[in-house]
Amino acid sequence: MDFQYSDKVKELRQQLLTFMDEYIYPNEELYQQQKEANQQRGRAYAKVPIVDELKEKARAQGLWNLFLPEEEYGPGLTNLEYAPLAEIMGRVLWCSEVFNCAAPDTGNMEVLARYGSKEQQDTWLQPLLDGQIRSSFAMTEPAVASSDATNIETRIKRDGDDYVVNGRKWFITGGCAEETKFFIVMGKSDPDNADRHKQQSMIIVPKDTPGVTIVRDMPVYGYYHAPKGHPEILFDNVRVPAANLILGEGRGFEIAQGRLGPGRIHHCMRVIGQAERAFEIMCQRLTSRVAFHKPLADQGVWRERIADCRIAIDQTRLMVLQAAQMMDLVGNKVAKQQIAMIKVAAPDMALKVIDWAIQAHGAGGYTEDFPLADMWVYARHLRTADGPDEVHRNAIAKEVLKAYR
């Protein structure tokens, strides 16, 4: 395995690091201020102005759509090449959007680029690629165990030249944002099909379609993640043109599997960046604070934790790079065990590192004075996003046991 950076990646990586130093870190406080100002004027889900300003700078520097392997849409990076860039962007929770590399838009762009019709690409993909709009992916439902996608109950029923969508979704990331203009909705178009994996379809539903109702935003550990939100959404007799169906009836599960592989590994890449930054913040704190007559960094327990963090972050990074390389060489399907392994390992590692960083800050670690509490919430939610640990562990065990059957 060769994980050396190519010259192209070295150049992009240096550009990103410079951009972070010049524009992202200095504007973290301004981002929070502008977000709070939106809330105070009753528009919590309006876009944050500094993000649009920085988008223009990022695009002008070619730091745009870095995640798409297709050269017609971006620099044409492989998963392995994208990994160190995603890690850098992951260091600040909101900054992936600056580079047009934020979920769930990334997954939706991949779906439309690979499975969408020419009309769908012109209408929805191009504005996403240009960063003019945002989107959401509506899959999870409150009434069923959505970790098993075959349980989905939302109905997508053909009616003449249209499809009619009925169902209830929740925790739909980005659904509240004013910039979000459409959902890709997964539902059942053929619930009686004997093949449970061909019952589902995916369809594009514009957010302003009659019958689409944002019921409420869903807090995550008490945080309302404006400006994107994670709402509960009701689709009540929502009628959209048949041309909005993606790929064809019964292809929804196939699309979902193609979408989730890259989505999962991108999450893992970014959360390594969060863990790395939390580790840096922790070490800065430990070397600057004194307790019991000596710096915290000289306390035995903290020496152990520093070492354990360094080991855990580096181990996980190598696992992610291995999974990325396998996806590039043999495809997502063959690499599914490696993807499942990092989806368990990366959030688990990040939670340990961030938790110790919070501990090093005492009561301050729980506040918004530091980014750690928000990081912890994100990492903890990631253990459930795109499938809970139990699902991935089961998939890993099944692969392992094949050799013993």
Side-chain angles (χ1 to χ4, degrees):
M1 292 179 287
D2 182 7
F3 299 148
Q4 294 297 313
Y5 300 148
S6 66
D7 290 340
K8 177 168 63 173
V9 171
K10 287 179 182 177
E11 183 178 347
L12 286 169
R13 187 173 179 275
Q14 188 55 55
Q15 278 186 268
L16 264 180
L17 289 169
T18 301
F19 196 99
M20 296 290 288
D21 288 339
E22 290 184 358
Y23 300 115
I24 300 297
Y25 300 133
N27 282 302
E28 284 187 278
E29 185 175 348
L30 178 60
Y31 176 89
Q32 293 298 329
Q33 291 171 352
Q34 291 182 343
K35 188 173 75 168
E36 290 169 8
N38 283 347
Q39 293 171 343
Q40 290 169 4
R41 64 191 180 98
R43 292 185 59 193
Y45 303 102
K47 58 186 177 182
V48 180
I50 187 61
V51 174
D52 269 2
E53 291 179 32
L54 298 182
K55 275 184 175 182
E56 293 180 12
K57 296 181 184 296
R59 191 169 189 179
Q61 293 186 25
L63 300 173
W64 196 255
N65 293 336
L66 300 171
F67 68 97
L68 278 167
E70 292 85 1
E71 289 189 355
E72 61 186 297
Y73 301 128
L77 302 175
T78 65
N79 287 296
L80 183 59
E81 289 175 320
Y82 180 60
L85 309 181
E87 178 180 328
I88 293 169
M89 290 183 276
R91 292 171 64 89
V92 175
L93 287 170
W94 52 268
C95 84
S96 292
E97 184 185 352
V98 169
F99 310 100
N100 216 38
C101 292
D105 297 316
T106 49
N108 288 345
M109 283 189 262
E110 287 172 334
V111 165
L112 293 172
R114 293 167 191 170
Y115 307 114
S117 67
K118 179 65 165 56
E119 179 184 354
Q120 291 167 354
Q121 291 174 347
D122 290 344
T123 305
W124 303 110
L125 175 60
Q126 195 57 53
L128 281 177
L129 290 168
D130 293 338
Q132 297 173 350
I133 65 172
R134 298 207 65 186
S135 62
S136 284
F137 183 64
M139 178 173 168
T140 305
E141 298 182 3
V144 297
S146 304
S147 56
D148 177 358
T150 62
N151 283 338
I152 297 301
E153 293 181 341
T154 293
R155 288 286 279 114
I156 301 173
K157 189 174 181 180
R158 185 71 183 248
D159 184 19
D161 293 332
D162 298 329
Y163 280 97
V164 178
V165 181
N166 281 284
R168 187 178 294 267
K169 304 285 187 178
W170 72 347
F171 290 101
I172 306 307
T173 298
C176 290
E178 292 182 11
E179 291 181 280
T180 294
K181 300 303 179 185
F182 72 95
F183 305 102
I184 293 180
V185 180
M186 185 166 178
K188 286 189 176 177
S189 53
D190 186 10
D192 298 322
N193 194 307
D195 186 341
R196 297 180 69 229
H197 295 96
K198 293 185 178 179
Q199 296 175 352
Q200 305 82 10
S201 296
M202 287 195 190
I203 195 163
I204 297 168
V205 177
K207 186 178 177 180
D208 61 1
T209 306
V212 176
T213 302
I214 305 294
V215 178
R216 55 173 173 157
D217 194 5
M218 306 293 299
V220 180
Y221 282 98
Y223 283 79
Y224 285 94
H225 286 174
K228 56 187 179 182
H230 309 283
E232 177 181 354
I233 305 173
L234 177 65
F235 297 89
D236 184 13
N237 288 319
V238 175
R239 183 176 292 270
V240 295
N244 285 22
L245 196 76
I246 301 174
L247 195 60
E249 284 196 17
R251 309 292 292 276
F253 199 87
E254 173 187 346
I255 298 169
Q257 292 303 105
R259 183 187 191 279
L260 287 173
R264 285 169 177 157
I265 198 168
H266 292 170
H267 277 313
C268 295
M269 293 169 181
R270 287 190 293 265
V271 85
I272 290 172
Q274 288 173 41
E276 193 72 73
R277 191 174 185 210
F279 180 57
E280 291 174 6
I281 293 171
M282 183 182 82
C283 289
Q284 290 165 3
R285 182 76 168 190
L286 295 176
T287 54
S288 64
R289 304 286 278 202
V290 174
F292 306 105
H293 312 295
K294 60 181 178 180
L296 289 173
D298 291 338
Q299 309 280 355
V301 66
W302 284 111
R303 289 290 181 94
E304 289 183 19
R305 288 174 179 174
I306 290 169
D308 286 346
C309 285
R310 184 72 274 155
I311 292 166
I313 294 171
D314 288 357
Q315 283 178 332
T316 308
R317 181 183 291 113
L318 288 171
M319 289 181 66
V320 169
L321 293 175
Q322 181 198 31
Q325 186 179 63
M326 285 193 66
M327 290 170 70
D328 293 333
L329 295 177
V330 297
N332 300 356
K333 189 172 183 179
V334 178
K336 64 182 180 181
Q337 180 177 343
Q338 281 67 33
I339 296 171
M341 288 166 63
I342 62 169
K343 184 56 176 60
V344 174
D348 190 55
M349 174 278 296
L351 280 170
K352 175 190 279 189
V353 173
I354 297 166
D355 185 71
W356 279 342
I358 290 172
Q359 192 75 5
H361 285 73
Y366 300 106
T367 72
E368 291 187 349
D369 288 5
F370 303 94
L372 300 170
D374 209 16
M375 284 181 177
W376 189 92
V377 169
Y378 179 84
R380 181 60 185 86
H381 115 277
L382 196 55
R383 288 185 59 197
T384 302
D386 290 346
D389 288 355
E390 293 84 354
V391 170
H392 300 301
R393 283 192 164 97
N394 182 59
I396 296 163
K398 283 173 65 176
E399 288 298 310
V400 171
L401 290 171
K402 283 180 180 178
Y404 298 90
R405 298 294 189 187

PDB file of all heavy atoms in Angstrom, residues 375-401:
ATOM      1  N   MET A 375     -18.109  19.656  18.585  1.00  0.00           N
ATOM      2  CA  MET A 375     -17.406  18.543  17.951  1.00  0.00           C
ATOM      3  C   MET A 375     -17.888  17.205  18.509  1.00  0.00           C
ATOM      4  O   MET A 375     -18.109  16.237  17.768  1.00  0.00           O
ATOM      5  CB  MET A 375     -15.896  18.661  18.182  1.00  0.00           C
ATOM      6  CG  MET A 375     -15.182  19.686  17.351  1.00  0.00           C
ATOM      7  SD  MET A 375     -13.412  19.620  17.770  1.00  0.00           S
ATOM      8  CE  MET A 375     -12.749  20.820  16.613  1.00  0.00           C
ATOM      9  N   TRP A 376     -18.031  17.154  19.835  1.00  0.00           N
ATOM     10  CA  TRP A 376     -18.455  15.901  20.477  1.00  0.00           C
ATOM     11  C   TRP A 376     -19.844  15.501  19.996  1.00  0.00           C
ATOM     12  O   TRP A 376     -20.082  14.326  19.685  1.00  0.00           O
ATOM     13  CB  TRP A 376     -18.450  16.043  21.998  1.00  0.00           C
ATOM     14  CG  TRP A 376     -18.668  14.745  22.708  1.00  0.00           C
ATOM     15  CD1 TRP A 376     -17.712  13.871  23.143  1.00  0.00           C
ATOM     16  CD2 TRP A 376     -19.933  14.139  23.028  1.00  0.00           C
ATOM     17  NE1 TRP A 376     -18.298  12.762  23.721  1.00  0.00           N
ATOM     18  CE2 TRP A 376     -19.661  12.897  23.672  1.00  0.00           C
ATOM     19  CE3 TRP A 376     -21.257  14.507  22.854  1.00  0.00           C
ATOM     20  CZ2 TRP A 376     -20.670  12.049  24.111  1.00  0.00           C
ATOM     21  CZ3 TRP A 376     -22.267  13.660  23.293  1.00  0.00           C
ATOM     22  CH2 TRP A 376     -21.968  12.445  23.921  1.00  0.00           C
ATOM     23  N   VAL A 377     -20.747  16.467  19.913  1.00  0.00           N
ATOM     24  CA  VAL A 377     -22.110  16.178  19.440  1.00  0.00           C
ATOM     25  C   VAL A 377     -22.064  15.630  18.022  1.00  0.00           C
ATOM     26  O   VAL A 377     -22.740  14.647  17.695  1.00  0.00           O
ATOM     27  CB  VAL A 377     -22.988  17.445  19.508  1.00  0.00           C
ATOM     28  CG1 VAL A 377     -24.315  17.232  18.780  1.00  0.00           C
ATOM     29  CG2 VAL A 377     -23.253  17.824  20.961  1.00  0.00           C
ATOM     30  N   TYR A 378     -21.248  16.245  17.164  1.00  0.00           N
ATOM     31  CA  TYR A 378     -21.158  15.778  15.779  1.00  0.00           C
ATOM     32  C   TYR A 378     -20.613  14.352  15.728  1.00  0.00           C
ATOM     33  O   TYR A 378     -21.163  13.487  15.034  1.00  0.00           O
ATOM     34  CB  TYR A 378     -20.267  16.701  14.954  1.00  0.00           C
ATOM     35  CG  TYR A 378     -20.136  16.236  13.520  1.00  0.00           C
ATOM     36  CD1 TYR A 378     -21.093  16.575  12.575  1.00  0.00           C
ATOM     37  CD2 TYR A 378     -19.079  15.420  13.126  1.00  0.00           C
ATOM     38  CE1 TYR A 378     -20.998  16.125  11.263  1.00  0.00           C
ATOM     39  CE2 TYR A 378     -18.974  14.958  11.826  1.00  0.00           C
ATOM     40  CZ  TYR A 378     -19.935  15.320  10.893  1.00  0.00           C
ATOM     41  OH  TYR A 378     -19.838  14.851   9.613  1.00  0.00           O
ATOM     42  N   ALA A 379     -19.527  14.100  16.454  1.00  0.00           N
ATOM     43  CA  ALA A 379     -18.921  12.763  16.424  1.00  0.00           C
ATOM     44  C   ALA A 379     -19.870  11.713  16.979  1.00  0.00           C
ATOM     45  O   ALA A 379     -19.948  10.590  16.465  1.00  0.00           O
ATOM     46  CB  ALA A 379     -17.604  12.768  17.206  1.00  0.00           C
ATOM     47  N   ARG A 380     -20.616  12.070  18.032  1.00  0.00           N
ATOM     48  CA  ARG A 380     -21.553  11.111  18.618  1.00  0.00           C
ATOM     49  C   ARG A 380     -22.704  10.802  17.670  1.00  0.00           C
ATOM     50  O   ARG A 380     -23.117   9.648  17.537  1.00  0.00           O
ATOM     51  CB  ARG A 380     -22.094  11.633  19.956  1.00  0.00           C
ATOM     52  CG  ARG A 380     -23.062  10.672  20.639  1.00  0.00           C
ATOM     53  CD  ARG A 380     -22.386   9.354  20.934  1.00  0.00           C
ATOM     54  NE  ARG A 380     -23.288   8.346  21.474  1.00  0.00           N
ATOM     55  CZ  ARG A 380     -24.044   7.515  20.729  1.00  0.00           C
ATOM     56  NH1 ARG A 380     -24.002   7.591  19.412  1.00  0.00           N
ATOM     57  NH2 ARG A 380     -24.808   6.611  21.302  1.00  0.00           N
ATOM     58  N   HIS A 381     -23.188  11.830  16.968  1.00  0.00           N
ATOM     59  CA  HIS A 381     -24.280  11.588  16.024  1.00  0.00           C
ATOM     60  C   HIS A 381     -23.803  10.741  14.848  1.00  0.00           C
ATOM     61  O   HIS A 381     -24.561   9.985  14.250  1.00  0.00           O
ATOM     62  CB  HIS A 381     -24.855  12.931  15.532  1.00  0.00           C
ATOM     63  CG  HIS A 381     -24.673  13.210  14.079  1.00  0.00           C
ATOM     64  ND1 HIS A 381     -23.506  13.729  13.575  1.00  0.00           N
ATOM     65  CD2 HIS A 381     -25.509  13.040  13.016  1.00  0.00           C
ATOM     66  CE1 HIS A 381     -23.626  13.864  12.257  1.00  0.00           C
ATOM     67  NE2 HIS A 381     -24.817  13.459  11.891  1.00  0.00           N
ATOM     68  N   LEU A 382     -22.488  10.847  14.549  1.00  0.00           N
ATOM     69  CA  LEU A 382     -21.944  10.105  13.418  1.00  0.00           C
ATOM     70  C   LEU A 382     -21.963   8.597  13.654  1.00  0.00           C
ATOM     71  O   LEU A 382     -21.924   7.818  12.699  1.00  0.00           O
ATOM     72  CB  LEU A 382     -20.513  10.584  13.137  1.00  0.00           C
ATOM     73  CG  LEU A 382     -19.916  10.208  11.784  1.00  0.00           C
ATOM     74  CD1 LEU A 382     -20.799  10.672  10.642  1.00  0.00           C
ATOM     75  CD2 LEU A 382     -18.519  10.813  11.652  1.00  0.00           C
ATOM     76  N   ARG A 383     -22.051   8.177  14.908  1.00  0.00           N
ATOM     77  CA  ARG A 383     -22.159   6.743  15.186  1.00  0.00           C
ATOM     78  C   ARG A 383     -23.490   6.181  14.719  1.00  0.00           C
ATOM     79  O   ARG A 383     -23.641   4.959  14.608  1.00  0.00           O
ATOM     80  CB  ARG A 383     -21.984   6.482  16.687  1.00  0.00           C
ATOM     81  CG  ARG A 383     -20.556   6.664  17.181  1.00  0.00           C
ATOM     82  CD  ARG A 383     -20.431   6.284  18.641  1.00  0.00           C
ATOM     83  NE  ARG A 383     -20.832   4.904  18.864  1.00  0.00           N
ATOM     84  CZ  ARG A 383     -21.135   4.389  20.061  1.00  0.00           C
ATOM     85  NH1 ARG A 383     -21.085   5.162  21.136  1.00  0.00           N
ATOM     86  NH2 ARG A 383     -21.478   3.133  20.182  1.00  0.00           N
ATOM     87  N   THR A 384     -24.454   7.052  14.464  1.00  0.00           N
ATOM     88  CA  THR A 384     -25.773   6.615  13.990  1.00  0.00           C
ATOM     89  C   THR A 384     -26.001   7.001  12.535  1.00  0.00           C
ATOM     90  O   THR A 384     -26.660   6.273  11.790  1.00  0.00           O
ATOM     91  CB  THR A 384     -26.882   7.231  14.866  1.00  0.00           C
ATOM     92  OG1 THR A 384     -26.664   6.828  16.222  1.00  0.00           O
ATOM     93  CG2 THR A 384     -28.253   6.759  14.427  1.00  0.00           C
ATOM     94  N   ALA A 385     -25.463   8.145  12.112  1.00  0.00           N
ATOM     95  CA  ALA A 385     -25.662   8.604  10.735  1.00  0.00           C
ATOM     96  C   ALA A 385     -25.135   7.582   9.741  1.00  0.00           C
ATOM     97  O   ALA A 385     -24.081   6.977   9.955  1.00  0.00           O
ATOM     98  CB  ALA A 385     -24.947   9.942  10.531  1.00  0.00           C
ATOM     99  N   ASP A 386     -25.869   7.407   8.636  1.00  0.00           N
ATOM    100  CA  ASP A 386     -25.509   6.430   7.601  1.00  0.00           C
ATOM    101  C   ASP A 386     -25.403   5.015   8.159  1.00  0.00           C
ATOM    102  O   ASP A 386     -24.585   4.205   7.710  1.00  0.00           O
ATOM    103  CB  ASP A 386     -24.194   6.814   6.913  1.00  0.00           C
ATOM    104  CG  ASP A 386     -24.343   8.039   6.035  1.00  0.00           C
ATOM    105  OD1 ASP A 386     -25.486   8.420   5.744  1.00  0.00           O
ATOM    106  OD2 ASP A 386     -23.321   8.619   5.632  1.00  0.00           O
ATOM    107  N   GLY A 387     -26.216   4.717   9.166  1.00  0.00           N
ATOM    108  CA  GLY A 387     -26.252   3.377   9.746  1.00  0.00           C
ATOM    109  C   GLY A 387     -25.540   3.315  11.077  1.00  0.00           C
ATOM    110  O   GLY A 387     -24.411   3.798  11.193  1.00  0.00           O
ATOM    111  N   PRO A 388     -26.171   2.751  12.105  1.00  0.00           N
ATOM    112  CA  PRO A 388     -25.551   2.667  13.423  1.00  0.00           C
ATOM    113  C   PRO A 388     -24.435   1.628  13.480  1.00  0.00           C
ATOM    114  O   PRO A 388     -24.308   0.775  12.605  1.00  0.00           O
ATOM    115  CB  PRO A 388     -26.727   2.251  14.321  1.00  0.00           C
ATOM    116  CG  PRO A 388     -27.648   1.501  13.412  1.00  0.00           C
ATOM    117  CD  PRO A 388     -27.526   2.169  12.079  1.00  0.00           C
ATOM    118  N   ASP A 389     -23.635   1.725  14.540  1.00  0.00           N
ATOM    119  CA  ASP A 389     -22.517   0.788  14.720  1.00  0.00           C
ATOM    120  C   ASP A 389     -22.946  -0.666  14.588  1.00  0.00           C
ATOM    121  O   ASP A 389     -22.228  -1.489  14.011  1.00  0.00           O
ATOM    122  CB  ASP A 389     -21.896   0.977  16.112  1.00  0.00           C
ATOM    123  CG  ASP A 389     -21.106   2.262  16.232  1.00  0.00           C
ATOM    124  OD1 ASP A 389     -20.955   2.971  15.219  1.00  0.00           O
ATOM    125  OD2 ASP A 389     -20.644   2.556  17.347  1.00  0.00           O
ATOM    126  N   GLU A 390     -24.128  -0.985  15.146  1.00  0.00           N
ATOM    127  CA  GLU A 390     -24.576  -2.381  15.147  1.00  0.00           C
ATOM    128  C   GLU A 390     -24.689  -2.943  13.735  1.00  0.00           C
ATOM    129  O   GLU A 390     -24.338  -4.102  13.478  1.00  0.00           O
ATOM    130  CB  GLU A 390     -25.934  -2.489  15.860  1.00  0.00           C
ATOM    131  CG  GLU A 390     -25.904  -2.194  17.346  1.00  0.00           C
ATOM    132  CD  GLU A 390     -25.981  -0.720  17.671  1.00  0.00           C
ATOM    133  OE1 GLU A 390     -25.944   0.123  16.738  1.00  0.00           O
ATOM    134  OE2 GLU A 390     -26.083  -0.388  18.874  1.00  0.00           O
ATOM    135  N   VAL A 391     -25.167  -2.123  12.807  1.00  0.00           N
ATOM    136  CA  VAL A 391     -25.313  -2.563  11.418  1.00  0.00           C
ATOM    137  C   VAL A 391     -23.945  -2.845  10.807  1.00  0.00           C
ATOM    138  O   VAL A 391     -23.732  -3.872  10.143  1.00  0.00           O
ATOM    139  CB  VAL A 391     -26.071  -1.504  10.594  1.00  0.00           C
ATOM    140  CG1 VAL A 391     -26.019  -1.833   9.101  1.00  0.00           C
ATOM    141  CG2 VAL A 391     -27.516  -1.409  11.057  1.00  0.00           C
ATOM    142  N   HIS A 392     -23.003  -1.949  11.031  1.00  0.00           N
ATOM    143  CA  HIS A 392     -21.681  -2.111  10.438  1.00  0.00           C
ATOM    144  C   HIS A 392     -20.915  -3.268  11.078  1.00  0.00           C
ATOM    145  O   HIS A 392     -20.223  -4.023  10.386  1.00  0.00           O
ATOM    146  CB  HIS A 392     -20.890  -0.808  10.571  1.00  0.00           C
ATOM    147  CG  HIS A 392     -21.551   0.349   9.894  1.00  0.00           C
ATOM    148  ND1 HIS A 392     -21.837   0.362   8.550  1.00  0.00           N
ATOM    149  CD2 HIS A 392     -22.004   1.532  10.374  1.00  0.00           C
ATOM    150  CE1 HIS A 392     -22.430   1.497   8.228  1.00  0.00           C
ATOM    151  NE2 HIS A 392     -22.546   2.213   9.322  1.00  0.00           N
ATOM    152  N   ARG A 393     -21.056  -3.420  12.394  1.00  0.00           N
ATOM    153  CA  ARG A 393     -20.389  -4.547  13.053  1.00  0.00           C
ATOM    154  C   ARG A 393     -20.946  -5.878  12.546  1.00  0.00           C
ATOM    155  O   ARG A 393     -20.208  -6.858  12.368  1.00  0.00           O
ATOM    156  CB  ARG A 393     -20.553  -4.430  14.572  1.00  0.00           C
ATOM    157  CG  ARG A 393     -19.626  -3.407  15.204  1.00  0.00           C
ATOM    158  CD  ARG A 393     -19.618  -3.534  16.727  1.00  0.00           C
ATOM    159  NE  ARG A 393     -18.484  -2.834  17.313  1.00  0.00           N
ATOM    160  CZ  ARG A 393     -18.520  -1.614  17.822  1.00  0.00           C
ATOM    161  NH1 ARG A 393     -19.669  -0.945  17.805  1.00  0.00           N
ATOM    162  NH2 ARG A 393     -17.445  -1.053  18.332  1.00  0.00           N
ATOM    163  N   ASN A 394     -22.246  -5.915  12.322  1.00  0.00           N
ATOM    164  CA  ASN A 394     -22.862  -7.128  11.790  1.00  0.00           C
ATOM    165  C   ASN A 394     -22.313  -7.443  10.401  1.00  0.00           C
ATOM    166  O   ASN A 394     -22.001  -8.596  10.082  1.00  0.00           O
ATOM    167  CB  ASN A 394     -24.381  -6.967  11.731  1.00  0.00           C
ATOM    168  CG  ASN A 394     -25.076  -8.207  11.224  1.00  0.00           C
ATOM    169  OD1 ASN A 394     -24.961  -9.285  11.809  1.00  0.00           O
ATOM    170  ND2 ASN A 394     -25.812  -8.076  10.119  1.00  0.00           N
ATOM    171  N   ALA A 395     -22.173  -6.411   9.571  1.00  0.00           N
ATOM    172  CA  ALA A 395     -21.636  -6.610   8.221  1.00  0.00           C
ATOM    173  C   ALA A 395     -20.189  -7.106   8.271  1.00  0.00           C
ATOM    174  O   ALA A 395     -19.791  -7.991   7.494  1.00  0.00           O
ATOM    175  CB  ALA A 395     -21.717  -5.308   7.434  1.00  0.00           C
ATOM    176  N   ILE A 396     -19.409  -6.546   9.186  1.00  0.00           N
ATOM    177  CA  ILE A 396     -18.011  -6.974   9.332  1.00  0.00           C
ATOM    178  C   ILE A 396     -17.945  -8.438   9.753  1.00  0.00           C
ATOM    179  O   ILE A 396     -17.198  -9.242   9.187  1.00  0.00           O
ATOM    180  CB  ILE A 396     -17.284  -6.094  10.359  1.00  0.00           C
ATOM    181  CG1 ILE A 396     -17.199  -4.645   9.867  1.00  0.00           C
ATOM    182  CG2 ILE A 396     -15.883  -6.641  10.658  1.00  0.00           C
ATOM    183  CD1 ILE A 396     -16.872  -3.635  10.960  1.00  0.00           C
ATOM    184  N   ALA A 397     -18.746  -8.790  10.758  1.00  0.00           N
ATOM    185  CA  ALA A 397     -18.737 -10.170  11.268  1.00  0.00           C
ATOM    186  C   ALA A 397     -19.151 -11.163  10.191  1.00  0.00           C
ATOM    187  O   ALA A 397     -18.579 -12.255  10.075  1.00  0.00           O
ATOM    188  CB  ALA A 397     -19.661 -10.286  12.479  1.00  0.00           C
ATOM    189  N   LYS A 398     -20.146 -10.801   9.373  1.00  0.00           N
ATOM    190  CA  LYS A 398     -20.599 -11.693   8.303  1.00  0.00           C
ATOM    191  C   LYS A 398     -19.468 -11.973   7.319  1.00  0.00           C
ATOM    192  O   LYS A 398     -19.281 -13.115   6.877  1.00  0.00           O
ATOM    193  CB  LYS A 398     -21.791 -11.068   7.573  1.00  0.00           C
ATOM    194  CG  LYS A 398     -23.102 -11.176   8.338  1.00  0.00           C
ATOM    195  CD  LYS A 398     -24.209 -10.389   7.662  1.00  0.00           C
ATOM    196  CE  LYS A 398     -24.565 -10.945   6.307  1.00  0.00           C
ATOM    197  NZ  LYS A 398     -25.706 -10.219   5.696  1.00  0.00           N
ATOM    198  N   GLU A 399     -18.707 -10.943   6.978  1.00  0.00           N
ATOM    199  CA  GLU A 399     -17.595 -11.127   6.050  1.00  0.00           C
ATOM    200  C   GLU A 399     -16.509 -12.010   6.664  1.00  0.00           C
ATOM    201  O   GLU A 399     -15.953 -12.885   6.010  1.00  0.00           O
ATOM    202  CB  GLU A 399     -17.012  -9.764   5.656  1.00  0.00           C
ATOM    203  CG  GLU A 399     -17.890  -8.951   4.731  1.00  0.00           C
ATOM    204  CD  GLU A 399     -18.128  -9.641   3.399  1.00  0.00           C
ATOM    205  OE1 GLU A 399     -17.139 -10.071   2.773  1.00  0.00           O
ATOM    206  OE2 GLU A 399     -19.304  -9.759   2.997  1.00  0.00           O
ATOM    207  N   VAL A 400     -16.198 -11.752   7.935  1.00  0.00           N
ATOM    208  CA  VAL A 400     -15.169 -12.531   8.610  1.00  0.00           C
ATOM    209  C   VAL A 400     -15.549 -14.005   8.686  1.00  0.00           C
ATOM    210  O   VAL A 400     -14.754 -14.909   8.430  1.00  0.00           O
ATOM    211  CB  VAL A 400     -14.906 -11.976  10.019  1.00  0.00           C
ATOM    212  CG1 VAL A 400     -14.006 -12.916  10.817  1.00  0.00           C
ATOM    213  CG2 VAL A 400     -14.282 -10.583   9.942  1.00  0.00           C
ATOM    214  N   LEU A 401     -16.816 -14.267   9.032  1.00  0.00           N
ATOM    215  CA  LEU A 401     -17.274 -15.639   9.252  1.00  0.00           C
ATOM    216  C   LEU A 401     -17.395 -16.466   7.979  1.00  0.00           C
ATOM    217  O   LEU A 401     -17.465 -17.695   8.040  1.00  0.00           O
ATOM    218  CB  LEU A 401     -18.615 -15.622   9.994  1.00  0.00           C
ATOM    219  CG  LEU A 401     -18.546 -15.168  11.460  1.00  0.00           C
ATOM    220  CD1 LEU A 401     -19.945 -14.985  12.030  1.00  0.00           C
ATOM    221  CD2 LEU A 401     -17.739 -16.157  12.292  1.00  0.00           C
TER     222      LEU A 401
END
